[in-house]
Every structure is written in C-alpha cells, then in structure tokens.
C-alpha cells in the first residue's frame, strides 16, 4: 500500500519532463552516429533514428547480448561494412563512458570542495573515487591517441606478445586494437572530436536531468524530494553500473533492487519510496523506448529476436579492416 501511494503522490509533471529528456537523447544518438560516419558516407542527421530506437528496444527486452543490433541495422540501412559500424559503436561507447565519468567526477568534486557537511556520504572516499575516475579517463584518452596515431604498430606488437601465450588470444587482441583504430578513423580533426564531445555532453546532461526530475518527483518522501544533484549522480552511477550487465527481464528487477538499496543505504530512504523511485527510473530511462521500438520494428519488418541472432553471428565472424582499406 505504501509503495502504491508513493507512485500516486509523485509529481507526474516532473516524470513527464524526464520522458521528454530521454526521448531527445535518442535523437541526439542518431545525429551523433550520422556525424561519425559522414567522412565515409553522408546521410541525413535523423535518418538513423529508427536503428537507434529499434536497437535499444532489443537491448531492453533481450538484454546486453543484443548490443550489436544497432551497428548491424545501420550497416544494413546505409550499405556500409559491418566492421566499420562496429568500430563506430566502439567510439560511441567510449564517448558515453568518458562523458559520464567527467560528469560524475566534476559533480562529486565540486560538491566535496564547496558543499557543506552532510552533502555527500563519505566525502573523502568519494573524492578519492572521483580522482581515480579522472585519472583513468585521462589514461584512456592518452591510450586512444596512441592507437589513433600508431594503431597498426600497437596491434602487431600486442598480437605477437599475447601470441606467445595463445595464438588465438593474440589474434583476438590484435583484432580489438584494429577495431579501435578503425573507429577512431571517424575522428579526423579536432572539429570532429569537438562535435562528438558536445553531442555526448548534451545527451548525458539530459539523462542526468531526467534522473534528477524523477527522483525529486517523489514528493511524499522528504529524502527524495530534497535530494541534491550530487546525490542524484551517485544513484545514476549505481544504475549505470548494473545496466552494463543487463539480463532479459530478470535484469530489470536486479537493477531496481540495486538502485533502491543504494538510496536506502546512502541516503536513508525508506524501502517503499526507494523501490517505487527505482522502478520509475528503470521504466523511464530504459524501458520507455520499447513500445515505440516495437511499433517501429513492425513497420520496418524487423524481428528483434531474428536480428539479435543475426547480428551476433555476424559480429563473431567479423574480420576488422584496417582504416582506409
């Protein structure tokens, strides 16, 4: 009864704003993908919106095993090689991870430096975690620059080094490095990097706003109603970590449980509002695209299960081309 009352008393105008933010993010994703492939083939900015909507619907309903659906559908739609689209997908995920890391670290550090007592749980630990994330992000950027400039040489060296242990492992590592290099070939200037970074930052700021609106919409819970942005980012990070291992259906409840537990343990939110809020976060940020995606797939004559299986098989047999070949 308390769980249901929390949902009824929520400010649904805020939840509506969150819906809008999440749906705009899919438009930004489509535009970002179109811009990343523009040096190979120019397509209208919103022409890939369907591939993003259907692809994320597949992930929501089937699980992370369906991640290759998006590059597979883009490859089919544009006629470009799947290896190229897998490479673009890798770059896209790197931008997502880097942007989320920057938002998390910047928010936590600013709050730890300028916020008063009690603004963050375990502030010293949070500061150390933020510094670690920033350092890891910087190392990742330097690694990507090295791969962009000398990817072929690095791939050959690592292939030989790991090949001493296992020839299959060496070939796998070499292929991964070449995939990184092929994807980074989409960024041919500082302008390309700036555009992709701006779109990624805009998208993740909208996602952060969506989380904040949903959490503070539960006005019947003082802990949630007055939650700060920094605390919201902590909750968002916990949800993102769990969603990286999303299982079909079962994973939904796992994610709700983990996020609700984070709210309760970090901020003292009661179990019922925490669970209601976590369920709403999952529904809006992850599952809300599914109805639109199913209808879109119907119009496009796409079977989600079939395309998930086909994309998986295609990805397993893929040989990544060197950039420019």
């Amino acid at each position: 009864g308390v769980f249901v009352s929390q949902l009824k008393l929520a400010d649904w105008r805020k939840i509506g704003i969150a819906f809008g933010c999440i749906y705009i993010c899919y438009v930004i994703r489509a535009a970002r993908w179109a811009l990343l492939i523009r040096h190979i083939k120019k397509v209208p900015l919103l022409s890939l919106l369907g591939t993003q909507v259907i692809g994320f619907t597949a992930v929501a309903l089937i699980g992370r095993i369906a991640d290759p659906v998006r590059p597979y559908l883009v490859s089919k739609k544009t006629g470009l090689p799947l290896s190229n689209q897998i490479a673009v997908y890798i770059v896209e995920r790197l931008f997502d991870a880097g942007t989320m890391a920057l938002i998390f670290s910047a928010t936590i550090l600013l709050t730890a430096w300028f916020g008063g007592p009690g603004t963050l749980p375990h502030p010293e630990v949070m500061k150390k975690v933020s510094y670690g994330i920033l350092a890891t992000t910087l190392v990742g950027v330097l690694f990507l620059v090295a791969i962009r400039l000398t990817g072929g040489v690095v791939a050959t060296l690592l292939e030989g080094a790991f090949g001493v242990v296992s020839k299959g492992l060496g070939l796998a590592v070499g292929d991964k490095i070449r995939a990184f290099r092929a994807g980074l070939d989409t960024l041919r200037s500082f302008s390309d990097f700036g555009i992709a970074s701006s779109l990624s930052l805009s998208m993740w700021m909208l996602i952060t706003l969506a989380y904040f609106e949903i959490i503070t919409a539960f006005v019947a819970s003082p802990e949630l109603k007055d939650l700060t942005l920094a605390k919201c980012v902590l909750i968002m990070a916990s949800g993102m970590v769990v969603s990286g291992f999303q299982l079909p259906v079962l994973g939904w409840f796992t994610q709700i449980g983990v996020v609700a537990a984070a709210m309760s343990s970090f901020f003292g939110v009661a179990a019922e509002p925490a669970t209601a809020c976590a369920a709403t976060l999952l529904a809006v940020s992850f599952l809300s695209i599914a109805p639109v995606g199913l209808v879109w797939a119907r119009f496009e004559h796409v079977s989600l299960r079939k395309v998930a299986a086909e994309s998986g098989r295609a990805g397993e047999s893929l040989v990544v081309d060197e950039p420019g070949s």
Side-chain angles (χ1 to χ4, degrees):
V2 175
F3 173 85
V4 173
S5 69
Q6 288 290 332
L7 289 173
K8 288 181 178 179
L9 292 171
D11 186 344
W12 285 88
R13 292 171 300 178
K14 284 177 165 287
I15 296 173
I17 292 172
F19 263 110
C21 291
I22 294 299
Y23 270 71
I24 292 172
C25 288
Y26 291 108
V27 176
I28 295 175
R29 285 188 181 279
R32 184 176 62 176
W33 201 300
L35 289 168
L36 285 174
I37 67 173
R38 75 183 189 278
H39 293 302
I40 305 166
K41 184 173 184 177
K42 290 187 177 181
V43 298
L45 284 181
L46 300 184
S47 63
L48 302 179
L49 181 57
T51 64
Q52 304 303 303
V53 170
I54 296 172
F56 276 103
T57 298
V59 173
L61 300 180
I62 300 174
R64 284 295 169 190
I65 193 173
D67 260 342
V69 168
R70 284 192 298 136
Y72 181 79
L73 290 177
V74 174
S75 175
K76 290 289 186 182
K77 189 174 185 66
T78 61
L80 294 172
L82 178 59
S83 60
N84 176 268
Q85 299 314 299
I86 291 289
V88 172
Y89 166 80
I90 292 171
V91 171
E92 182 204 54
R93 302 312 286 175
L94 289 172
F95 270 103
D96 284 345
T99 306
M100 179 57 198
L102 288 174
I103 289 176
F104 175 85
S105 300
T107 304
I108 297 302
L109 288 175
L110 287 172
T111 304
W113 290 335
F114 302 110
T119 52
L120 280 176
H122 313 294
E124 291 304 317
V125 175
M126 291 298 172
K127 285 173 66 175
K128 291 179 181 179
V129 170
S130 298
Y131 284 130
I133 290 174
L134 283 176
T136 303
T137 303
L138 179 60
V139 170
V141 170
L142 294 175
F143 175 74
L144 293 179
V145 170
I147 295 298
R148 177 67 179 85
L149 298 176
T150 60
V153 175
V154 174
T156 301
L157 288 174
L158 291 179
E159 198 171 61
F162 283 96
V164 174
V165 179
S166 166
K167 185 176 180 180
L169 177 61
L171 291 173
V173 171
D175 283 343
K176 293 293 184 185
I177 298 298
R178 293 185 182 95
F180 275 118
R181 172 74 185 282
L184 293 172
D185 193 52
T186 61
L187 304 172
R188 300 185 180 182
S189 67
F190 286 110
S191 175
D192 292 342
F193 181 82
I195 291 171
S197 298
S198 299
L199 289 173
S200 300
L201 184 60
S202 299
M203 183 180 68
W204 280 98
M205 287 177 70
L206 283 172
I207 293 173
T208 304
L209 176 60
Y211 266 74
F212 184 73
E213 289 293 323
I214 292 171
I215 291 171
T216 57
F218 285 83
V219 294
S221 170
E223 295 83 3
L224 293 177
K225 177 186 176 183
D226 300 324
L227 203 76
T228 63
L229 180 61
K231 293 178 179 179
C232 168
V233 169
L234 284 176
I235 294 172
M236 185 170 74
S238 67
M240 295 301 170
V241 170
V242 180
S243 69
F245 308 96
Q246 191 73 37
L247 297 173
V249 184
L250 179 63
W252 304 348
F253 299 99
T254 303
Q255 187 166 344
I256 291 171
V258 170
V259 173
M263 292 180 189
S264 298
S265 58
F266 286 151
F267 313 124
V269 182
E272 295 85 357
T275 305
C277 182
T280 307
L281 285 170
L282 177 70
V284 175
S285 67
F286 193 66
L287 300 180
S288 64
I289 197 61
V292 178
L294 289 171
V295 173
W296 207 316
R298 182 84 174 185
F299 278 106
E300 296 279 347
H301 305 290
V302 173
S303 166
L304 294 184
R305 290 190 179 278
K306 183 178 178 181
V307 78
E310 288 176 355
S311 63
R313 289 195 297 268
E316 289 172 1
S317 61
L318 187 66
V319 176
V320 178
D321 296 328
E322 288 282 4
S325 65

